[in-house]
Amino acid sequence: MAEEVKLLKTWSSLFGLRAVWALKLKGVQYESIDEDLSNKSPLLLQSNPVHKKVPVLLHNGKSISESMVIVEYVDETWKQKYPLLSDDPYERARARFWAKFGDDKGLSSIWNVFIKQGKEQEEAIGEASENLKFLEEELKGKKFFGGEKIGLLDLALGWLANLVPVLEEIIGVKIIDKKKFPLLSAWMQEFAEAPTIKETWPPHDKLLTKFRATREPYLAAAQPK
Ligand SMILES: N[C@@H](CCC(=O)N[C@@H](CS)C(=O)NCC(=O)O)C(=O)O
């Protein structure tokens, strides 16, 4: 029986990209369905009734939500090609730990650099740098977080390579400085240049427009009344 694989996402969702990358690295054929998040489809509401968010993977009618859950599901379901996690339980645990760290601490600290200004932004830069130092350390002796090739943790942290240069351009502040974070900077380049990643990278100009608009309400709220 032919498999039915569908992915609900948006063009700009960095979480959605994790699922796209996992499916593409595995060579899984799938139908991509772009959602309008201002008018969510009945399919999205039915398949992710708890969070009502993209991405959602639909595999032979079963729905799987949360990007990193999807990445692991894809890895376990299409085992033969391109394993995303090591066979070693300790390595697997580390990859999952840093993936969670990236979402829990990394993303929010970098987002704060983007939306804050003045002293608050300086504090956020300090916090983001402390978090980035851990990731720089994790890359020692490796080309990718997964070792010689892209693995689960690279997909989890792909937003760093994808989003941070856009945010930096908008605010005119360097968050991942080459001198301070040479390994992370080299990784960002290697990751972005990998064929599967490059072909799915959202257009830079479109991201700039989207994130400029996303920042506007934060700037307006900071204006003295
Ligand atoms: N933790 C979720 C986050 C997903 C998420 O935040 N998706 C956003 C798009 S980037 C969304 O669907 N937002 C719609 C909403 O919040 O109503 C994951 O990893 O999948």
Side-chain angles (χ1 to χ4, degrees), residues 14-30:
L14 305 160
F15 301 107
L17 276 175
R18 291 170 172 171
V20 168
W21 293 330
L23 289 165
K24 288 209 177 263
L25 286 170
K26 294 275 181 180
V28 178
Q29 298 295 319
Y30 68 97

Side-chain angles (χ1 to χ4, degrees), residues 94-172:
R94 280 187 79 82
R96 290 179 179 126
F97 174 84
W98 289 115
K100 186 159 167 30
F101 167 84
D103 276 6
D104 291 351
K105 298 197 79 171
L107 190 52
S108 59
S109 61
I110 288 182
W111 191 249
N112 277 337
V113 177
F114 182 61
I115 60 168
K116 309 259 180 197
Q117 289 173 82
K119 198 170 162 355
E120 281 187 338
Q121 187 183 59
E122 275 168 34
E123 280 168 17
I125 292 172
E127 199 185 314
S129 295
E130 287 308 307
N131 291 332
L132 290 168
K133 271 189 213 158
F134 286 113
L135 299 179
E136 177 81 8
E137 191 64 26
E138 193 53 25
L139 268 175
K140 275 201 177 139
K142 295 191 242 177
K143 180 167 163 190
F144 293 108
F145 288 100
E148 272 312 296
K149 62 183 192 57
I150 289 173
L152 173 132
L153 184 53
D154 296 276
L155 302 193
L157 295 173
W159 60 268
L160 274 178
N162 182 268
L163 178 66
V164 170
V166 173
L167 304 187
E168 288 178 337
E169 192 173 331
I170 295 173
I171 60 176

